[in-house]
Amino acid sequence: MSKIINQDSLVTADVMQLVSHEREVALSTREWKHRLKGYGYSIRDTEDGKHVLETLPHHVALCELPCEMFS
C-alpha cells in the first residue's frame, strides 16, 4: 500500500477542484474514473472502504477523497 505523500495545499486544492468538477459532469462513478484517467489520475479503493487519488502511471497517492463524492 502506498503512503500518501505530503503535498502543497494549493496543489492539492487545484487537483481537488478538477476532481470535483469531473465528478459533477460524470453520469456515473465508472465514467468519473475514466475521465480522471485522461488527466493522469486514478482512484484506488482501499480495504477499509476509503478512496485514494493517485497519479498515473506510478500510482503515487496524493490524497484521500471524501466519501460524499461516491454517493
Side-chain angles (χ1 to χ4, degrees):
M1 181 176 182
S2 58
K3 182 174 93 173
I4 295 177
I5 61 172
N6 188 9
Q7 287 287 316
D8 182 310
S9 61
L10 292 175
V11 172
T12 302
D14 286 345
V15 170
M16 284 304 298
Q17 185 176 13
L18 169 73
V19 170
S20 295
H21 170 74
E22 290 301 319
R23 183 60 185 120
E24 289 173 9
V25 298
L27 299 176
S28 66
T29 302
R30 181 178 175 187
E31 179 188 354
W32 177 41
K33 290 179 178 183
H34 180 75
R35 294 173 69 93
L36 289 177
K37 286 182 182 182
Y39 290 102
Y41 298 105
S42 69
I43 297 173
R44 178 176 47 86
D45 301 327
T46 64
E47 292 177 4
D48 57 352
K50 297 181 181 178
H51 310 281
V52 177
L53 183 68
E54 299 180 322
T55 62
L56 290 175
H58 303 293
H59 298 283
V60 175
L62 297 177
C63 63
E64 187 176 309
L65 297 174
C67 291
E68 299 84 44
M69 295 183 112
F70 295 86
S71 52

